[in-house]
Amino acid sequence: MDAVEQQLAELAKTGYEAGFVSNIESETVPPGLDESVIRYISARKSEPEFMLEWRLGAYQKWLQMEEPDWAHLKYTKIDYQAISYFSAPKSAADAPKSLDEVDPELLRVYEKLGIPLEEQKMLAGVAVDAVFDSVSVATTFRKQLAEAGVIFCSISEAMREHPELIKKYLGTVVPQTDNYFAALNAAVFTDGTFVYIPENTRCPMELSTYFRINERNTGQFERTLIIADKGSYVSYLEGCTAPQRDENQLHAAVVELIALEDAYIKYSTVQNWYPGDENGKGGIYNFVTKRGVCAGDRSRISWTQVETGSSITWKYPSCVLKGDDSIGEFYSVAVTRGAQQADTGTKMFHIGKNTTSTIVSKGISADRGQNAYRGLVRMNKGAENARNHTQCDSLLIGDKCGAHTFPYIEVANPTAKVEHEATTSKIGEDQLFYCRQRGLSEEDAVSMIVNGFCKEVFNELPMEFAVEARKLLAISLEGAVG
Amino acid sequence: MLSIKDLHASINGKEILKGLSLEMGAGEVHAIMGPNGSGKSTLSKVLAGREEYEVTSGTVTYKGENLLDMSPEERAHQGIFMAFQYPVELPGVNNTYFMQASLNAIRKARGEPELNSLNFMKLVRTKLKALEMNEALLKRSVNTGFSGGEMKRNEILQMILLEPSLAILDETDSGLDIDALKMVSMGVNSLRSPERSMLVITHYQRLLDYIQPDYVHVLSGGRIIRSGDKSLALELEEKGYGWLQEEAAA
């Protein structure tokens, strides 16, 4: 009996008399979380032994932790025992049969974004058996990447194929007990992405989860690990602009980035999960831990995010600037409208000498949307001549929304320089009238003003993504004024 | 072209225009002068469709249609252009992009083909040259950090690009030095044509040295109290507004 079977056998003994639904298509563990579920997940994924121990360790810690409540967010408490922690791809029987069964509002947005019909079906979760062009595209890309020596695969595959890299790096940036949601993720994550760029290699293309369409069912606890070896470069794109439906309300992803000497990782996100109805009902709770370490000298990590979806966003992509002369950057646009709430920002830990960080945060609130920027800049004792520049701007549309700024600055080195600028403005009647007098519709005017406001962040996005992000912003704020 | 009859308009419940009437034919240039608070700017904003102003009675007919029924953008599509007294900053919005979007929105509404960036740039360059304007202005954000003179030049550039049928200049001359004033006038004069009418609102007679109006109207207390030809402007320069106001009150 090999290890997996043994685990499965043990698992069978420890309960679940009802058993698992055996139909491979709709295999789901019953709601609830205990050790047996974690053993089951690990076994199902044929993970090495050290992974199971790592998961169980995280689970034990998680049990002793408390859900954080310091964020400027209000939501109904999550019942962790009501969640099912393992779910194989949805059965075809449950999925909508055709686009006719999909929320027309969603389809209208797809239409506006110009998404091809087959992709619309995929995004809306329609059961399709047609082969996507994207799958063959993905295969071509994989070949090119392999030639460059780049590893780009699911994290489950990496655990089996590259256990040495996983063992060396997983959890080194976001320890499994880092915070409540990260601990939960470590215990139960089901899949995610793994990237390794070898020394002195420039990744020949932008990497995107979007190309991994055939493996897209990564579930609500996604885990990403990106390692850029010495002198390498990679640009990684996460998410897509199309609104994605998901049955899972709670999303607790973890992303870890590691940049060695002279390496540069550029990580761009467009997050557009379902925000729920106008009262936020049914919307996604997005509790994400993202952190990168500039481990080597002269390394650089750049986070760019465009957050327009989810009913709750709790997210602070951070940089640990360990290497001397390393650079951390955070460029963010967060939009909240309807009943959406976002508490987002970054943390920049300056440890090495001459480290530099730049923070540009643009919050846009409309309707009853609440937007908080929360940022920490810490200059450690050894951070000689470290510098930070923070710019934090809020734009309000209407008079029922809110913008909040919570900057934390800790400086332990007298040579460090920290600058913080913050502004709050409203889209003025004057601005709208000026645009309309020039023939633009109110909608186009809002879109133009908001895009102007976000320009510095969009400039950081890869070209194609930036074009999509602009469109997305316009759609997100449709009808926000007037 | 434009026919205003007994127009009453108020803002925040305060009546500013109190029975203003004005007839403008095609190809005519009318100057509106008047002391501060006489309703000059209110008139321009009501014509452009600013929603804060409430029209309580009277009619405005433009090219045979009821202007007051149209949204600000519809008015723009129909050829109404207002050069703002205080142009508005749009941070991060590229000036060229803004002008192209504006021109194309208007062309589209009229069923004309939109201009691509290349053709638009060609067009802008020819207009810039005519105004002796610096191309650097195109690369900046709309009006952001512009000096007063630059803002007004930018307004005139947009006017020349959009080739309106009715141009309203709301105190475009205020705060301009003599060179800028000449440039603005040159722009306005270059647009003069038998199909195009212009309403030049100004506080000072000075602008009318460069833009020769066909008619001059004096606005006071929300009504036109005197109309004449350009000699009226000279008379005002000499005597001020007082004597007219006294006459009107009598």
Side-chain angles (χ1 to χ4, degrees):
Chain A
M1 203 187 280
D2 70 12
V4 177
E5 282 176 59
Q6 204 170 345
Q7 280 165 14
L8 282 171
E10 271 174 28
L11 186 66
K13 273 184 253 160
T14 54
Y16 288 117
E17 281 83 2
F20 302 105
V21 184
S22 59
N23 179 356
I24 195 84
E25 263 207 309
S26 59
E27 196 169 27
T28 300
V29 294
L33 181 57
D34 57 24
E35 281 203 15
S36 68
V37 171
I38 294 162
R39 286 178 191 280
Y40 177 77
I41 292 169
S42 189
R44 272 298 303 260
K45 309 200 76 66
S46 315
E47 289 176 356
E49 184 66 26
F50 76 86
M51 274 309 303
L52 175 64
E53 279 161 27
W54 193 76
R55 285 175 182 276
L56 290 174
Y59 175 66
Q60 285 308 329
K61 285 280 166 54
W62 180 74
L63 286 176
Q64 294 156 27
M65 294 168 103
E66 272 182 39
E67 192 172 332
D69 61 358
W70 42 259
H72 193 82
L73 301 169
K74 279 192 195 119
Y75 57 94
T76 347
K77 279 272 173 241
I78 302 161
D79 180 358
Y80 294 92
Q81 295 303 332
I83 296 171
S84 171
Y85 288 86
F86 186 87
S87 177
K90 270 236 149 236
S91 101
D94 291 346
K97 302 284 177 301
S98 71
L99 285 178
D100 298 341
E101 293 178 27
V102 173
D103 183 356
E105 179 59 19
L106 204 59
L107 295 181
R108 199 183 59 81
V109 174
Y110 291 158
E111 206 65 46
K112 279 215 155 186
L113 284 166
I115 294 167
L117 202 64
E118 283 308 308
E119 275 184 51
Q120 290 190 18
K121 289 183 182 169
M122 186 216 50
L123 290 163
V126 174
V128 274
D129 36 28
V131 176
F132 300 125
D133 284 349
S134 330
V135 175
S136 50
V137 169
T139 317
T140 321
F141 280 173
R142 273 193 101 147
K143 207 176 143 222
Q144 266 193 56
L145 290 172
E147 277 164 17
V150 171
I151 303 170
F152 177 43
C153 62
S154 75
I155 202 153
S156 308
E157 196 179 329
M159 281 188 273
R160 295 191 296 268
E161 307 291 324
H162 310 282
E164 70 297 342
L165 286 171
I166 294 287
K167 207 167 183 175
K168 188 169 173 191
Y169 291 111
L170 189 76
T172 57
V173 189
V174 180
Q176 78 253 62
T177 54
D178 186 80
N179 66 68
Y180 190 78
F181 297 106
L184 180 64
N185 174 289
V188 302
F189 75 91
T190 41
D191 219 329
T193 308
F194 177 81
V195 177
Y196 173 78
I197 315 290
E199 266 183 50
N200 300 319
T201 302
R202 194 182 162 86
C203 186
M205 68 194 62
E206 314 259 1
L207 296 182
S208 166
T209 37
Y210 196 57
F211 295 129
R212 288 187 31 230
I213 271 165
N214 47 342
E215 298 170 41
R216 65 183 197 83
N217 205 324
T218 47
Q220 49 191 343
F221 302 102
E222 201 172 340
R223 187 136 196 141
T224 301
L225 175 60
I226 299 176
I227 302 145
D229 214 325
K230 291 175 187 167
S232 68
Y233 167 79
V234 61
S235 166
Y236 183 86
L237 316 179
E238 179 202 33
C240 64
T241 47
Q244 281 175 291
R245 281 271 181 183
D246 199 297
E247 299 299 316
N248 303 310
Q249 191 179 33
L250 173 67
H251 279 245
V254 170
V255 176
E256 296 180 278
L257 309 182
I258 294 142
L260 300 181
E261 260 173 55
D262 298 297
Y264 177 14
I265 302 176
K266 190 173 168 58
Y267 192 106
S268 314
T269 305
V270 172
Q271 185 269 113
N272 192 19
W273 294 106
Y274 185 55
D277 64 14
E278 58 185 66
N279 294 314
K281 197 168 172 282
I284 301 288
Y285 289 2
N286 197 22
F287 292 88
V288 188
T289 306
K290 289 184 165 178
R291 194 175 305 147
V293 58
C294 284
D297 293 350
R298 296 168 305 278
S299 56
R300 177 174 174 192
I301 287 177
S302 180
W303 298 101
T304 306
Q305 61 174 24
V306 178
E307 303 280 323
T308 62
S310 298
S311 66
I312 303 278
T313 299
W314 180 98
K315 184 179 169 186
Y316 316 92
S318 309
C319 297
V320 181
L321 304 170
K322 229 181 209 170
D324 291 347
D325 303 290
S326 61
I327 299 170
E329 291 160 314
F330 173 75
Y331 301 95
S332 169
V333 167
V335 181
T336 53
R337 67 171 303 189
Q340 282 180 288
Q341 306 171 63
D343 192 301
T344 184
T346 184
K347 290 182 240 173
M348 293 290 176
F349 300 99
H350 291 254
I351 296 167
K353 292 182 190 112
N354 306 316
T355 47
T356 315
S357 64
T358 304
I359 298 170
V360 178
S361 164
K362 305 275 180 178
I364 301 160
S365 319
D367 305 329
R368 285 167 293 141
Q370 293 292 327
N371 219 320
Y373 166 80
R374 188 181 302 277
L376 167 69
V377 176
R378 178 185 294 161
M379 303 295 192
N380 277 19
K381 215 170 172 189
E384 288 290 314
N385 298 314
R387 279 158 193 271
N388 161 268
H389 182 82
T390 300
Q391 190 192 324
C392 181
D393 301 323
S394 306
L395 186 68
L396 304 175
I397 305 173
D399 51 16
K400 293 189 188 71
C401 54
H404 317 269
T405 309
F406 305 97
Y408 303 85
I409 298 171
E410 297 168 15
V411 181
N413 184 303
T415 62
K417 283 200 180 111
V418 181
E419 295 166 4
H420 183 97
E421 282 178 48
T423 67
T424 302
S425 54
K426 273 185 96 158
I427 286 195
E429 287 296 324
D430 285 342
Q431 288 178 318
L432 286 177
F433 179 65
Y434 188 74
C435 294
R436 294 176 75 189
Q437 207 302 304
R438 298 298 186 253
L440 300 167
S441 67
E442 185 158 297
E443 219 165 76
D444 288 346
V446 170
S447 156
M448 195 180 262
I449 294 164
V450 170
N451 273 303
F453 175 74
C454 299
K455 193 180 186 179
E456 290 156 282
V457 175
F458 286 170
N459 283 347
E460 295 299 321
L461 286 171
M463 182 70 103
E464 208 185 305
F465 234 35
V467 172
E468 284 183 37
R470 267 186 204 113
K471 264 200 251 172
L472 174 62
L473 210 62
I475 295 170
S476 305
L477 289 170
E478 239 174 42
V481 177
Chain B
M1 177 70 70
L2 184 72
S3 169
I4 305 173
K5 292 205 169 80
D6 195 30
L7 184 66
H8 291 255
S10 53
I11 185 162
N12 300 329
K14 192 184 174 211
E15 188 167 65
I16 309 281
L17 298 184
K18 301 169 182 169
L20 185 147
S21 298
L22 178 68
E23 296 289 328
M24 282 177 77
E28 293 172 0
V29 175
H30 291 239
I32 301 234
M33 301 183 70
N36 285 331
S38 58
K40 299 193 299 288
S41 277
T42 299
L43 174 62
S44 66
K45 282 167 188 159
V46 168
L47 292 177
R50 181 89 202 215
E51 279 145 357
E52 282 89 338
Y53 292 86
E54 194 194 348
V55 174
T56 47
S57 69
T59 58
V60 181
T61 314
Y62 169 70
K63 290 184 179 171
E65 286 186 56
N66 181 0
L67 184 73
L68 301 175
D69 274 354
M70 298 181 206
S71 68
E73 56 269 37
E74 281 166 345
R75 296 177 199 208
H77 301 159
Q78 296 297 319
I80 292 185
F81 177 91
M82 179 169 104
F84 283 58
Q85 183 180 3
Y86 304 108
V88 181
E89 294 192 359
L90 303 175
V93 178
N94 175 274
N95 205 15
T96 309
Y97 175 74
F98 177 72
M99 287 191 271
Q100 190 185 350
S102 160
L103 180 65
N104 280 338
I106 291 171
R107 291 181 72 109
K108 198 174 162 189
R110 292 178 183 164
E112 294 165 17
E114 297 178 38
L115 288 188
N116 64 24
S117 301
L118 202 70
N119 289 332
F120 178 77
M121 277 314 292
K122 273 189 200 157
L123 178 67
V124 172
R125 289 217 170 90
T126 52
K127 304 288 183 189
L128 271 176
K129 219 170 184 179
L131 287 178
E132 292 168 23
M133 260 171 72
N134 189 346
E135 210 173 297
L137 220 56
L138 293 177
K139 298 192 178 104
R140 290 162 61 182
S141 294
V142 180
N143 296 322
T144 310
F146 282 26
S147 70
E150 283 171 336
M151 281 192 187
K152 298 294 171 76
R153 279 168 207 256
N154 201 41
E155 293 291 289
I156 298 303
L157 173 62
Q158 291 178 57
M159 181 176 84
I160 285 178
L161 269 171
L162 299 178
E163 303 184 319
S165 4
L166 173 62
I168 304 161
L169 286 89
D170 188 4
E171 301 202 25
T172 302
D173 54 332
S174 64
L176 288 190
D177 61 28
I178 199 77
D179 287 340
L181 194 66
K182 276 183 184 161
M183 192 280 308
V184 166
S185 314
M186 191 172 72
V188 172
N189 289 331
S190 75
L191 274 186
R192 278 186 105 141
S193 89
E195 301 84 46
R196 188 170 289 129
S197 311
M198 295 194 213
L199 188 61
V200 181
I201 294 170
T202 181
H203 198 67
Y204 305 104
Q205 193 273 335
R206 193 175 62 155
L207 179 67
L208 305 180
D209 289 342
Y210 301 95
I211 302 170
Q212 303 272 319
D214 300 308
Y215 301 92
V216 174
H217 310 277
V218 177
L219 189 60
S220 177
R223 288 183 306 123
I224 287 173
I225 54 169
R226 175 72 68 101
S227 297
D229 59 16
K230 64 176 187 194
S231 63
L232 177 59
L234 295 170
E235 209 175 337
L236 287 170
E237 175 86 345
E238 208 175 300
K239 305 191 202 166
Y241 293 109
W243 62 284
L244 277 176
Q245 284 167 316
E246 276 162 31
E247 258 184 44

